[in-house]
Amino acid sequence: ANCLQQKHKIMTCGNGGSAEQAQHFSSEMINRFEKERQALAAIALTTDSSTLTSIANDYTFDKIFSRQIQALGQEGDILLALSTSGNSPNVLKAIEAAHLQNMQIILLSGRDGGKAAQSADIEIRVPSQSTARIQEVHLLIIHSLCDIIDQMFTQNQ
């Protein structure tokens, strides 16, 4: 919420179901969650098929998020990375790129947190081995974050 109040943005990424949840969070920021409030800056790095496929084709799939962060990320922005294993190579490279841009990294992870847990500024881990259970709790966390942000942006209305 502080990042958004300072006119910075939140960039999100993940694979498979985590990609869907990254997009879900971004859409709740740009549109609204439960309360009427201003549109907030968020970008899901999982949605531009031309960008994703050109990066994967010209470089490697591992760079689909990091190249976007290099182009769009700025100091003060946040990367919200979702990975049930914490070991997805493209998410790990996204975290590296975000650090180089002086962005803060928030990781939603599962299992033992994987390699990503060592690089995140804030990790929220669901200590389960079940991908389905991890993703269910990640959705609850995303909705909780959206609710907190809604509260902060509607206090003075």
Side-chain angles (χ1 to χ4, degrees), residues 98-115:
H99 276 302
L100 291 174
Q101 300 292 85
N102 293 315
M103 296 169 60
Q104 185 177 34
I105 291 86
I106 299 173
L107 172 67
L108 302 187
S109 69
R111 299 183 177 85
D112 66 358
K115 294 175 187 172

Side-chain angles (χ1 to χ4, degrees), residues 17-30:
S18 295
E20 180 279 326
Q21 291 182 326
Q23 291 169 213
H24 180 80
F25 177 84
S26 293
S27 69
E28 299 288 19
M29 294 298 98
I30 292 170

Side-chain angles (χ1 to χ4, degrees), residues 49-105:
S49 60
S50 296
T51 297
L52 294 171
T53 57
S54 69
I55 294 169
N57 185 63
D58 294 352
Y59 296 97
T60 66
F61 186 77
D62 293 356
K63 293 186 177 183
I64 61 171
F65 303 135
S66 61
R67 290 287 293 180
Q68 294 181 76
I69 291 168
Q70 290 167 0
L72 302 170
Q74 298 177 334
E75 185 173 348
D77 291 345
I78 288 176
L79 173 65
L80 175 61
L82 290 85
S83 176
T84 58
S85 70
N87 292 316
S88 300
N90 56 7
V91 173
L92 293 171
K93 288 197 180 301
I95 291 170
E96 288 175 25
H99 276 302
L100 291 174
Q101 300 292 85
N102 293 315
M103 296 169 60
Q104 185 177 34
I105 291 86

Side-chain angles (χ1 to χ4, degrees), residues 10 13-14 17 31 45 47-48 56 60 76-77 80 86-87 97 101 109 119 121 126 129 131 138 144-145 147 154 157:
I10 299 175
C13 69
N31 187 22
L45 302 176
T47 59
D48 184 340
T60 66
D77 291 345
L80 175 61
N87 292 316
Q101 300 292 85
S109 69
S119 302
D121 297 303
V126 179
Q129 297 300 310
T131 298
H138 282 181
S144 296
L145 293 172
D147 189 46
T154 59
Q157 288 186 357

